[in-house]
Amino acid sequence: MTYARQSFTEGLETLPRMPSWVTSARPETPEDVAFLSGAALNHLHLVLSRDEVPQSLLRARLALRAAEVCVAFSGRPERAGELRDAVHLLRPGDLPGPAGETCLAWRRAVERPVSIKALGRALPAFEPGQIAGWLDTGQGMPVARAAMVLEAVLTKAPRSDVPALILADIALAQALGWDYLMPLLATGLKRADLRKRGDDLRLACHRALVSSAVEAVRLSTDLARRAAHLKAVAPKLRAKGAGDAVEMFLTRDAMAPSALPLTDRAARRLCDRLVDLGAVRELTGRDTFRLYGV
């Protein structure tokens, strides 16, 4: 094992693990649920502060999961594979379709630091003033603020599940002092939860955040390990532009070879080489129109 790879591995061993009492507890009261969600979010906050975690890649992967949940809420059949295709295989002038629009909204929401301007790009159907007004609705502790924003949006625009969940996660991120949205509520809430209001909705948000924060920590550890391996094998790559390609893989959920800063042939060879080295995976199982990711 090289020194570089060893140092990456040692760093991963120091990533704090979610306490077992958070994952195994069976809360019986609203106070229990609120305590567990706070503990889970605090632990996730500690994990997100570590340099080993590829933050952009984590947000992109969580955004895909959030989009998948939202598409399922709407009754559509598309899942992760189809959503990746809808975004990454678009040709100039093509429309992504409803499922693709949902995926793009989440993707755009996590790409840039939280701001009204950035949210306007993710949610073009809403005016900046309207977005700011909804975010100002939230008061109190982080989960309560997120639940209030979620309720405010769904009350005013009952069919706007995606904007409501994005803005609720924004409110949570702001309350926790995070610069970027971290998709959590959408991946933990159930469709029926979106019809709840008041204390019932707040309790549903607490429950959702226990499970989604635990899963986000697990994903963080997995991606940190995969990212460390990709960085360790990067010196073996000889293709011009390989370094830039590696950085792209470390920040994006999936990549088509054509999106890499290499010629088509060199990009395909690089992707095959990275697969052989176990540094990236081919995500589609197809012989053509392939997509690759960490």
Side-chain angles (χ1 to χ4, degrees):
M1 180 182 293
T2 66
Y3 174 77
R5 185 172 180 179
Q6 183 178 10
S7 63
F8 283 134
T9 304
E10 290 174 350
L12 293 179
E13 292 175 351
T14 65
L15 282 177
R17 297 182 179 181
M18 183 72 72
S20 59
W21 54 265
V22 174
T23 57
S24 62
R26 296 292 181 267
E28 298 180 359
T29 68
E31 291 77 15
D32 292 339
V33 179
F35 176 78
L36 287 177
S37 73
L41 285 171
N42 179 68
H43 189 83
L44 176 59
H45 183 83
L46 292 176
V47 170
L48 293 178
S49 69
R50 300 299 295 267
D51 292 338
E52 301 95 321
V53 178
Q55 305 282 340
S56 297
L57 177 57
L58 174 64
R59 292 195 303 272
R61 197 60 54 85
L62 288 174
L64 178 67
R65 292 188 180 184
E68 188 177 23
V69 170
C70 289
V71 167
F73 283 173
S74 70
R76 298 189 61 86
E78 292 91 344
R79 294 298 179 261
E82 291 87 354
L83 293 176
R84 284 185 173 124
D85 285 351
V87 171
H88 294 286
L89 302 182
L90 274 181
R91 296 179 179 178
D94 286 350
L95 296 176
E101 289 287 1
T102 295
C103 192
L104 284 172
W106 279 104
R107 181 182 176 185
R108 290 166 179 161
V110 304
E111 283 179 340
R112 300 181 180 182
V114 173
S115 70
I116 299 300
K117 182 178 180 180
L119 285 172
R121 179 172 175 267
L123 304 173
F126 298 96
E127 295 293 330
Q130 191 174 23
I131 293 174
W134 276 328
L135 290 176
D136 287 341
T137 302
Q139 297 178 2
M141 300 299 287
V143 181
R145 288 175 62 177
M148 292 176 70
V149 170
L150 181 60
E151 181 171 348
V153 179
L154 291 175
T155 299
K156 185 69 174 180
R159 300 176 64 86
S160 299
D161 293 355
V162 173
L165 288 164
I166 287 176
L167 291 176
D169 271 325
I170 288 288
L172 182 69
Q174 290 178 324
L176 293 171
W178 296 347
D179 293 331
Y180 289 85
L181 179 156
M182 189 67 61
L184 294 173
L185 284 168
T187 60
L189 287 169
K190 298 178 174 60
R191 182 69 182 91
D193 291 331
L194 301 185
R195 296 193 291 270
K196 297 176 180 178
R197 297 294 182 264
D199 291 342
D200 289 340
L201 179 59
R202 184 166 62 252
L203 181 59
C205 288
H206 277 296
R207 291 187 184 280
L209 288 168
V210 174
S211 61
S212 61
V214 168
E215 181 56 32
V217 169
R218 289 173 180 164
L219 182 60
S220 298
T221 302
D222 179 57
L223 291 179
R225 185 179 300 109
R226 293 177 182 275
H229 181 54
L230 177 56
K231 292 176 183 178
V233 304
K236 300 179 181 180
L237 306 174
R238 304 302 181 192
K240 184 178 181 181
D244 291 336
V246 166
E247 289 303 314
M248 294 174 73
F249 277 117
L250 289 171
T251 59
R252 305 186 189 185
D253 165 64
M255 296 288 297
S258 60
L260 297 174
L262 296 90
T263 64
D264 288 345
R265 182 180 179 185
R268 290 193 297 270
R269 291 180 63 183
L270 175 64
C271 290
D272 290 341
R273 174 65 170 154
L274 288 171
V275 171
D276 290 342
L277 292 169
V280 303
R281 297 169 292 162
E282 202 288 309
L283 301 172
T284 69
R286 297 187 296 246
D287 293 331
T288 58
F289 301 106
R290 290 180 163 184
L291 296 174
Y292 298 83
V294 172

